[in-house]
Amino acid sequence: TDIIHPANVSMAERISKIIDLDICGIDIMTTDISKPLSETGGAVLEVNAGPGFRMHLAPTSGLPRNVAAPVIDKLFPQFFHHHLSNRF
């Protein structure tokens, strides 16, 4: 996540806009996410309209990431800031 190449981020954003999804999971296979997929021969495998969070919250390896919070913040920005932010 921290080393994803800006071209890959841009491509993922374009994909989500093309298929009109505000929130989605995009599965990518590549040898090096820090390089553009066009350079590594990588590919987008699938786009999930209902992405799973478990593998990000409790990964087998690597750092856990709270991916749910930004999703909730995007879907319910005013509710999150006015009601939930005082609870954390």
Side-chain angles (χ1 to χ4, degrees):
T1 300
D2 295 328
I3 61 170
I4 188 168
H5 192 277
N8 297 334
V9 172
S10 178
M11 179 181 51
E13 290 170 345
R14 286 192 324 266
I15 289 169
S16 69
K17 287 177 184 173
I18 288 169
I19 57 179
D20 198 26
L21 291 173
D22 292 331
I23 306 294
C24 65
I26 300 175
D27 295 345
I28 294 173
M29 182 171 285
T30 183
T31 57
D32 187 349
I33 197 70
S34 70
K35 296 179 182 175
L37 294 185
S38 59
E39 289 182 16
T40 64
V44 172
L45 301 178
E46 67 178 346
V47 179
N48 301 294
F53 293 158
R54 190 217 44 85
M55 78 271 311
H56 301 287
L57 297 170
T60 303
S61 64
L63 296 173
R65 298 177 186 276
N66 184 359
V67 294
V71 170
I72 297 298
D73 192 27
K74 178 168 178 56
L75 293 174
F76 307 103
Q78 294 176 352
F79 178 78
F80 183 76
H81 290 297
H82 296 295
H83 294 93
L84 296 179
S85 61
N86 294 329
R87 296 181 187 178
F88 299 105

